[in-house]
Amino acid sequence: MRFRPCIDIHNGQVVQIVGSSLKDTGDTACENFVSGKDSTYYAEMYKNKGLNGGHIILLNSKDSPYYEATKEQAIKALNSYAGGMQVGGGINADNAKEYINAGASHVIVTSYVFSDGKICYNNLERLVEAVGKDNICLDVSCRYRGGQYYVVTDRWQVFTDVIFDKYLLEELSGYCDEILVHAVDVEGMRAGINEEIAKVLKTCPVPVTYAGGISSYEDIEKIRSIGEGKIDFTIGTALDIFGGPLSLEEVIRCTQ
């Protein structure tokens, strides 16, 4: 079990938000934290502490007037910690190589793969051809609706028809090196983890990271117990470096 750090970027700034509140219209979100420091500050911190495999997430759409500023912050972070972090947000087969060349270890992809509400295997194969399976992390973040969890796209705003379960993880593992799952209904809410989703992740054939709702050291231990040490995790809003109560140093010690 590893701790995976994060750098979430919205409107050109490092932030922590309530995931379910993100809206493209007006580029709005309920913000838990807005940093006065840029992305390179966090990337260099993670590098100095030997924390690799973290996630840089661009939270603006390509149509946003803030997109270029957000992308610039992402590229700067990748340059600062070459090979140490992954990046996601608006990535497809045409631009994935740009991010790998900028220093990303993996590109994180959702919307391009889950197109028109379904898995688009043509796009998935194009992505593999563009950067290779070993450089791909598929984001299968999900939300609850009508008794099931469904994969959501477009910065977690659009429900697909794809049910999130162990069979989906098995299917996708043939096309990627890792899988990332945000439990969007609890993302940024410090309300505790979604244990149902964590139990599904235990079955994943490739390395998998859980994100969403972690608010205490006990939550970390729950992930360790449910996943039998196989599930990695990320924490945003609850970390002290983002204004929360959990010490980054103590979180690191929890994984040692």
Side-chain angles (χ1 to χ4, degrees):
M1 182 173 80
R2 288 197 293 160
F3 167 64
R4 307 288 196 105
C6 66
I7 303 174
D8 293 348
I9 309 168
H10 189 237
N11 297 351
Q13 295 178 291
V14 175
V15 301
Q16 286 296 313
I17 67 168
V18 176
S20 59
S21 73
L22 185 61
K23 305 295 181 190
D24 286 345
T25 303
D27 292 296
T28 61
C30 178
E31 296 170 335
N32 289 320
F33 176 83
V34 179
S35 179
K37 302 182 185 300
D38 71 3
S39 62
T40 60
Y41 170 85
Y42 295 96
E44 289 169 4
M45 177 196 301
Y46 300 152
K47 181 179 180 180
N48 292 337
K49 293 183 181 299
L51 297 170
N52 57 29
H55 312 103
I56 301 168
I57 305 296
L58 290 75
L59 292 172
N60 290 102
S61 75
K62 288 188 175 180
D63 297 327
S64 166
Y66 296 99
Y67 176 76
E68 290 302 326
T70 291
K71 181 179 177 181
E72 181 181 2
Q73 285 295 313
I75 296 294
K76 283 182 176 179
L78 292 173
N79 291 164
S80 295
Y81 192 4
M85 298 197 75
Q86 307 176 9
V87 64
I91 293 175
N92 55 47
D94 296 325
N95 65 11
K97 195 70 175 178
E98 175 187 359
Y99 289 98
I100 296 296
N101 290 341
S105 65
H106 297 67
V107 289
I108 305 168
V109 184
T110 306
S111 300
Y112 180 68
V113 168
F114 296 93
S115 179
D116 295 325
K118 297 176 172 55
I119 300 174
C120 181
Y121 288 96
N122 286 340
N123 285 355
L124 196 47
E125 289 163 5
R126 285 190 64 214
L127 187 64
V128 172
E129 184 177 351
V131 296
K133 175 180 181 288
D134 291 347
N135 294 121
I136 297 170
C137 174
L138 293 179
D139 184 339
V140 290
S141 296
C142 55
R143 299 178 73 173
Y144 187 80
R145 186 175 68 180
Q148 298 273 11
Y149 287 94
Y150 292 89
V151 176
V152 288
T153 65
D154 299 279
R155 294 155 301 283
W156 310 322
Q157 297 167 80
V158 178
F159 277 86
T160 70
D161 299 327
V162 181
I163 294 173
F164 172 82
D165 58 20
K166 68 176 184 178
Y167 304 107
L168 176 65
L169 300 183
E170 290 170 3
E171 173 68 16
L172 294 179
S173 66
Y175 298 90
C176 65
D177 189 52
E178 296 189 9
I179 288 176
L180 168 66
V181 179
H182 291 84
V184 179
D185 294 318
V186 295
E187 175 75 19
M189 299 181 72
R190 300 188 198 175
I193 68 168
N194 186 314
E195 295 188 29
E196 289 183 73
I197 290 175
K199 287 174 183 176
V200 175
L201 299 189
K202 185 173 87 169
T203 69
C204 190
V206 296
V208 64
T209 301
Y210 171 89
I214 295 175
S215 60
S216 66
Y217 303 114
E218 289 75 19
D219 285 333
I220 297 172
E221 289 308 309
K222 281 184 183 179
I223 292 172
R224 186 194 304 276
S225 176
I226 291 170
E228 299 175 356
K230 300 174 185 176
I231 301 174
D232 294 342
F233 66 97
T234 187
I235 306 174
T237 297
L239 271 186
D240 58 354
I241 60 172
F242 298 125
L246 300 187
S247 160
L248 174 61
E249 298 300 330
E250 183 60 29
V251 168
I252 294 170
R253 282 195 289 271
C254 286
T255 64
Q256 294 172 341

